[in-house]
């Protein structure tokens, strides 16, 4: 959203505590903001008549409160409830409302842990690796390994992926190993071997895989993937920037070279700082 939003209702001196999100809210816009940002983990506990009463009395919006109570009486779905609320406030344009509703529909049948894992998966895919790790660790606290071994193993594996992408291969190997001990899978085993290879000397690694009796095909595939990764030149913003820097230096364009170096490193530093931000909303 890039446009200004006219505030609706008043700022309350008494907060409303949203149990499912673990947050206090003081205004309608704050409520809308948290609903949108936490769409992946919103549950039916948001459909509470006490929230309607709060909107009516504390925020001084009786008409909106009545609309919400009517929806509760009609027992509408969570997706309809939240998106109607956001539409009544005028917080999002139509296209974004549709996206939020689809998220709510897709997640309706998921457990709390599955919803939080999905959020962590999105952080991982968005390359917010430290924040993804933080979220995965939080989910692990609500999952029992013996009751939900598949999701538990999947979370451990994805923590390993996040650490590997941060080049912290010893921790990556630890989580991959923990994952395959619960649920042995080829992909996790390959990732485990690759992480070990990045932390061990060649002869130590060879003795280890021989002693542990790993399948020759899996060992070979792990090696082949590493060789392919070393030979490949991914078209990323990083590689493009480095190519441009090298070209400027080769052409003797000194001032432009130093300017590009400074700009590039400034961007990378900021991206690193963004990665290291830890969620504080637990």
């Amino acid at each position: 959203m890039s446009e200004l939003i006219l505030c609706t209702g008043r700022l309350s001196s008494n907060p409303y505590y949203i149990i499912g999100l673990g947050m206090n809210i003081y205004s309608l816009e704050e409520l809308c903001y948290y609903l949108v940002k936490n769409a992946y983990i919103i549950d039916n506990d948001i459909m509470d008549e006490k929230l309607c009463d709060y909107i009516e009395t504390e925020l001084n919006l009786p008409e909106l409160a009545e609309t919400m109570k009517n929806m509760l009486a009609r027992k509408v779905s969570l997706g309809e409830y939240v998106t109607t609320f956001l539409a009544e406030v005028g917080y999002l344009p139509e296209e974004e409302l549709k996206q939020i509703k689809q998220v709510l529909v897709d997640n309706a049948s998921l457990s709390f842990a599955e919803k939080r894992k999905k959020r962590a998966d999105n952080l991982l895919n968005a390359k917010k690796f430290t924040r993804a790790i933080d979220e995965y660790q939080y989910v692990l606290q609500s999952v029992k390994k013996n009751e939900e071994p598949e999701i538990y193993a999947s979370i451990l594996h994805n923590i390993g992926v996040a650490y590997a992408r941060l080049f912290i291969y010893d921790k990556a190997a630890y989580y991959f190993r923990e994952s395959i001990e619960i649920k042995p899978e080829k992909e996790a085993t390959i990732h485990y071997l690759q992480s070990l290879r990045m932390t061990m000397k060649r002869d130590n690694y060879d003795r280890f895989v021989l002693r542990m009796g790993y399948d020759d095909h899996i060992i070979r595939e792990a090696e082949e993937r590493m060789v392919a990764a070393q030979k490949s030149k991914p078209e990323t913003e990083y590689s493009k920037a480095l190519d441009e820097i090298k070209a400027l230096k080769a052409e003797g364009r000194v001032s432009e070279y130093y300017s590009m170096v400074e700009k590039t490193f400034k961007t990378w530093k900021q991206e690193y700082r963004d990665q290291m931000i830890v969620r504080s909303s637990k």
Side-chain angles (χ1 to χ4, degrees):
M1 292 181 299
S2 58
E3 56 195 53
L4 292 175
I5 299 172
L6 182 64
C7 291
T8 306
R10 65 188 178 195
L11 184 66
S12 172
S13 57
N14 301 310
Y16 179 83
Y17 182 70
I18 304 177
I19 297 175
L21 301 181
M23 300 171 182
N24 285 321
I25 60 103
Y26 291 85
S27 71
L28 196 63
E29 284 68 36
E30 191 174 20
L31 174 59
C32 291
Y33 175 82
Y34 284 126
L35 290 177
V36 171
K37 291 298 180 181
N38 294 279
Y40 292 100
I41 58 172
I42 293 174
D43 214 332
N44 286 332
D45 57 7
I46 198 70
M47 301 173 70
D48 189 349
E49 192 165 338
K50 291 180 181 178
L51 176 58
C52 300
D53 292 337
Y54 181 83
I55 291 172
E56 179 179 3
T57 58
E58 292 292 332
L59 303 183
N60 193 31
L61 294 166
E63 292 183 5
L64 177 60
E66 186 64 25
T67 298
M68 308 310 291
K69 286 181 180 180
N70 288 336
M71 283 195 289
L72 290 179
R74 290 189 288 111
K75 297 182 179 180
V76 301
S77 67
L78 176 63
E80 183 178 348
Y81 183 82
V82 172
T83 51
T84 299
F85 174 77
L86 294 171
E88 287 285 328
V89 179
Y91 190 78
L92 290 177
E94 184 65 28
E95 191 57 37
E96 290 185 49
L97 278 174
K98 290 180 181 178
Q99 293 174 5
I100 294 296
K101 187 171 185 177
Q102 191 59 51
V103 168
L104 293 167
V105 169
D106 291 344
N107 293 350
S109 61
L110 300 180
S111 67
F112 173 80
E114 289 171 323
K115 288 181 179 181
R116 295 302 290 248
K117 179 184 177 295
K118 198 167 184 179
R119 174 173 174 163
D121 291 343
N122 286 326
L123 288 169
L124 181 61
N125 291 332
K127 301 181 181 180
K128 303 294 184 182
F129 303 126
T130 56
R131 296 175 64 187
I133 291 168
D134 185 58
E135 186 72 23
Y136 284 128
Q137 293 287 9
Y138 180 66
V139 180
L140 283 179
Q141 297 174 26
S142 63
V143 180
K144 293 184 179 180
K145 181 166 56 175
N146 59 333
E147 293 181 2
E148 299 180 89
E150 288 196 12
I151 188 173
Y152 201 95
S154 177
I155 292 170
L156 292 173
H157 173 268
N158 288 358
I159 293 175
V161 171
Y163 274 121
R165 292 182 182 177
L166 288 168
F167 309 108
I168 307 175
Y169 294 111
D170 55 342
K171 285 192 173 183
Y174 169 81
Y175 283 101
F176 288 138
R177 186 185 70 240
E178 291 290 300
S179 172
I180 59 180
E181 285 182 357
I182 298 171
K183 192 173 187 295
E185 287 192 347
K186 176 183 175 181
E187 197 67 19
T189 303
I190 288 173
H191 290 164
Y192 174 54
L193 294 177
Q194 289 174 323
S195 297
L196 285 180
R197 183 67 188 88
M198 296 300 293
T199 60
M200 300 173 72
K201 292 182 178 180
R202 180 79 223 195
D203 55 346
N204 291 338
Y205 172 80
D206 289 341
R207 283 196 295 269
F208 174 81
V209 295
L210 181 63
R211 185 173 71 251
M212 298 302 294
Y214 286 106
D215 185 276
D216 287 342
H217 295 291
I218 291 179
I219 296 172
R220 191 178 306 114
E221 185 169 343
E223 291 281 345
E224 289 172 352
R225 287 194 195 181
M226 292 185 71
V227 171
Q230 291 170 352
K231 290 181 177 179
S232 68
K233 185 179 180 182
E235 282 295 320
T236 65
E237 292 302 318
Y238 296 106
S239 63
K240 291 176 184 177
L242 288 174
D243 286 344
E244 189 173 345
I245 288 171
K246 291 176 182 177
L248 290 172
K249 184 177 181 181
E251 295 169 11
R253 296 156 64 181
V254 180
S255 61
E256 293 176 73
Y257 164 77
Y258 282 110
S259 176
M260 184 64 182
V261 168
E262 183 178 355
K263 177 183 176 182
T264 301
F265 276 100
K266 184 178 179 180
T267 300
W268 292 356
K269 284 180 182 178
Q270 186 57 51
E271 289 180 358
Y272 177 77
R273 292 189 187 102
D274 292 342
Q275 287 289 345
M276 300 308 292
I277 294 174
V278 177
R279 278 193 328 105
S280 58
S281 59
K282 290 181 183 177

